[in-house]
Each structure stands twice: as structure tokens, then as C-alpha cells.
Amino acid sequence: MDSRTAAERCAVVGDGSMGATLAHVMAAGGRECVLWCASPATAEAVNRDHRHPARPAHALDGGLRATTSLADALDGASLVLVAVHSTAFAAAAGEIGALARPEQALFSATKGIEHPSLRLMSHVLRDAAPECAVGTIGGTNITGEIMAGQLSSLVVASPSTEARERAARALAAPHLAISASADLFSVELVSVLKNTVSIAAAIGLGAGMGYNALGLVVARTLAEIRSLGAALGADPGTFDGPAGIGDIFLTASSPQSLNRRLGMELGQGRGLDEIVAGLPEVPEGIGAVRAVEPLAAGAGLSLPVCAAVADILEGVQPPRALERVLIEAYWKELG
Ligand SMILES: NC(=O)C1=CN([C@@H]2O[C@H](COP(=O)(O)OP(=O)(O)OC[C@H]3O[C@@H](n4cnc5c(N)ncnc54)[C@H](OP(=O)(O)O)[C@@H]3O)[C@@H](O)[C@H]2O)C=CC1
Ligand SMILES: O=C(CO)COP(=O)(O)O
């Protein structure tokens, strides 16, 4: 007899690799879990072969069920995780909001920011479903390593104690270090801004700068986003944890990171459209890099290294512009 209980029922919205991975983790932990898929072919592959078409090497838990009906996925779920790209998040949240019940907790796993509103994903969820508790999931969690059973981390953040405890319980697995935070804004903002540092670091590597430069790029770009976070009200300590420096180190160094691949290719002089066309998914860091300047302007800050990264992303400056802006930043401080 299947011991899965309705009390632990969970839903995941989003059929990319993150959605499938989180759904697998919860199903493997014995929770009844339903994965909502936009694509009927993906739903069929999950149900029939217990594989995600984009990751055929990784077997999904046999108890995981996929559906193309959002109402079916959400029915009776106490926890709903949303792993849809930020550009499609508001549309998904709108549909979720129309079906959600107040007792359901909604968590975003998306490390992105909406343009041009600059809303974080939990704000999008809260606006769509004001009666539900909302939260986010950060940490060092590249899906390929989670699926391979390698040590990874999840930071679950929500002002609702009940909601974050529910999410932490549902995601518990022997290879996952799970931490919880009541400071949703800090964890979510840091999880977005960190990609700016990862992309900057990878631009330097792609452009042929050395590891002295790599350390410098990381230190300076991190200092800039830390000052931005502080100005916006985020706890600077969050930058020191797995959602901050941990995720920066991961996405600046892992060959599996999309944001690293984007930065490396920018550094090699490729254009953004060409790079994105060659990647399996659109890196969330593009939106993060573009968001820093308006966020900084709103806070009255000037962040020259982040501004140079944005110029390099848009092809306005060459990758080596990073060197000049870094040297100038330090000379300026010397006075
Ligand atoms: N992959 C990873 O290792 C990790 C990912 N994340 C976060 O999870 C989120 C989802 O990422 P992931 O699952 O990897 O993959 P995807 O980028 O493929 O996003 C997954 C979902 O978003 C939908 N989507 C709709 N419109 C778009 C669009 N314009 N561009 C891209 N996707 C769109 C996809 O639908 P369709 O299939 O129809 O395109 C799919 O359901 C990201 O925001 C990322 O920050 C966080 C940690 C690790
Ligand atoms: O944030 C992530 C892992 O923690 C995902 O990284 P990429 O989107 O760069 O692959």
C-alpha cells in the first residue's frame, strides 16, 4: 500500500528542470506530489517513463504524477512550489491565484525579477493570491547535482512560520542541507542579485583575465550588490550564507550554471542573442543585471562595476571594460 498521505500533498508548477527536480525530491521523500506541466509531452514522459525529456539520464521517483491540468495539480495541495521563468511567472501566478485556497502556501523557486515592474516573484504571488502565505527557495541548488544525490542546499524563506516549516518538511532529503528564514525579502533579493556577480566573474574568465582578476571582480561586484541590498532594506548577513556567497561561488564556478555560461560567452565576445539561442534555458541573470541600474538609481547609488556588466551584456562596451572600471574604482577611493 502507498503510504503517501493527503496531509503531505504538494504541487509543483513548472515543467523545467527545477520544477521536475523539486517534485522528484518531495515524491522520493514519500509525499504525494503532482507536477503541473505546460507541455503534454513532458507530462506523458514523466508519467510513462519517469524521466524528464531534458534530463533523460535521471530517473524520477515512480510515485510522482504529472498533469497538464492546473486545477488537478493544486487540488488538495497544502504546499505549492512555482518554478516558472520570471518572464512567464505573472501569467502562471494569475492562474494559480484564481484556483488557490487560503490554506495553501505558495513558494517561488525562481531566482528572477519581473520587468519593468521590478517585482520579486513572491510579490507576484502575493498580488495574485493575497490570502495565501508566500515564500521563496534560495540556496546552492543546481538541479543536475540534486538529481545525482549530491550535497546541495535549500533556503526556505517566508514570514509565515507554519509555511516555512511545511516547505522544509516537504523538501527534507538526506543530501539536502535545509535552512529556514523569516526574512523573505533578503533571501529573495540576494538570490536575484547574486547572478550579477556570477556573470561578472565569468565575463572576466571568458575574456582571458586571470584568477587575480577573478577574485577582484567577485569582491568588488559583491560589495556593490551588498550596498544595494542594504539600501533596499535587505539584511547584509544574507549575503554571507548559502543564498548569497554560496550561490555566487556555485554559479561563478560550475560548468552546469547557465549564468556562468552566459558570462563566459559574453567574455569571449559573443552577442547576447546568439548566446541565448545556444542555451537550453534563458538565464535569470539577464534580468538581474538589467534590474541593478534602476534599483540603484531609486536608492541614490552609483554602482560602476554592475553598470559595466550591464553595458557588456547589451554589447555597448567590450568585455575588457571590466578591467578599466575596476582600476578606476580603486584609484578613486585612494583619492
Ligand atoms: N535549473 C536550475 O538548476 C535551477 C533553476 N532555478 C530557478 O528555477 C527557475 C526555472 O528554471 P528551470 O526549471 O531550469 O527552467 P526553465 O527556464 O525552462 O523554466 C521552467 C518553466 O518556465 C516556463 N517558461 C515559460 N515561458 C518561458 C520563457 N519565456 N522563458 C523560459 N521559460 C519559460 C517553461 O515552460 P516551457 O517548457 O513551455 O518553456 C517551464 O515551465 C529559474 O527561474 C531558475 O532561476 C533555481 C535553482 C536551480
Ligand atoms: O541559482 C542556481 C543554482 O543555485 C541556478 O543557476 P543557473 O541558473 O546559473 O544555472
Side-chain angles (χ1 to χ4, degrees):
M1 197 181 83
D2 196 332
S3 62
R4 293 163 207 266
T5 61
E8 297 287 351
R9 188 175 294 179
C10 308
V12 177
V13 176
D15 59 3
S17 65
M18 188 58 166
T21 298
L22 294 173
H24 163 76
V25 165
M26 293 192 287
R31 285 98 201 162
E32 184 178 344
C33 185
V34 183
L35 174 65
W36 176 81
C37 298
S39 151
T42 302
E44 197 185 329
V46 171
N47 288 331
R48 190 194 52 215
D49 308 328
H50 309 300
R51 308 265 161 182
H52 188 284
R55 292 205 181 273
H58 291 132
L60 297 168
D61 185 79
L64 174 61
R65 182 170 73 81
T67 179
T68 54
S69 159
L70 190 61
D72 176 18
L74 265 51
D75 185 30
S78 59
L79 176 69
V80 180
L81 308 185
V82 188
V84 171
H85 195 273
S86 59
T87 51
F89 201 95
E95 291 181 42
I96 293 166
L99 294 163
R101 304 183 57 79
E103 64 273 17
Q104 294 179 311
L106 312 178
F107 277 73
S108 159
T110 298
K111 297 173 182 173
I113 190 163
E114 187 181 67
H115 284 268
S117 70
L118 302 181
R119 284 189 301 173
L120 297 170
M121 299 301 110
S122 72
H123 298 156
V124 178
L125 285 174
R126 189 196 55 207
D127 291 348
E131 293 182 345
C132 294
V134 298
T136 196
I137 298 172
T140 56
N141 40 46
I142 286 224
T143 56
E145 294 194 7
I146 296 181
M147 289 301 298
Q150 294 182 287
L151 176 62
S152 306
S153 70
L154 300 173
V155 181
V156 291
S158 172
S160 160
T161 307
E162 214 281 321
R164 58 179 189 272
E165 285 178 354
R166 197 184 297 172
R169 249 190 341 264
L171 289 160
H175 65 301
L176 297 181
I178 301 186
S179 53
S181 169
D183 190 350
L184 169 59
F185 177 69
S186 297
V187 173
E188 194 168 28
L189 185 72
V190 168
S191 300
V192 170
L193 294 180
K194 62 91 188 174
N195 278 328
T196 308
V197 184
S198 315
I199 290 171
I203 288 173
L205 286 175
M209 296 176 208
Y211 288 87
N212 287 341
L214 175 71
L216 180 63
V217 172
V218 169
R220 191 70 194 197
T221 321
L222 176 57
E224 287 193 356
I225 64 159
R226 189 189 278 268
S227 70
L228 176 58
L232 296 174
D235 172 8
T238 311
F239 286 90
D240 301 333
I245 191 67
D247 211 3
I248 287 170
F249 197 81
L250 165 64
T251 50
S253 53
S254 167
Q256 291 186 40
S257 165
L258 281 182
N259 288 291
R260 181 181 194 270
R261 286 170 66 183
L262 166 68
M264 290 284 288
E265 294 193 30
L266 285 169
Q268 289 157 4
R270 291 206 188 89
L272 183 58
D273 291 345
E274 183 196 348
I275 297 169
V276 169
L279 292 174
E281 294 144 21
V282 181
E284 290 287 2
I286 296 171
V289 167
R290 287 177 173 158
V292 169
E293 199 277 327
L295 288 172
L301 292 175
S302 161
L303 304 177
V305 181
C306 290
V309 173
D311 282 351
I312 295 164
L313 181 89
E314 309 297 359
V316 175
Q317 291 203 61
R320 288 270 175 179
L322 258 188
E323 292 172 316
R324 184 184 40 77
V325 77
L326 281 160
I327 288 169
E328 279 174 6
Y330 285 98
W331 275 114
K332 208 168 155 188
E333 279 179 10
L334 274 180

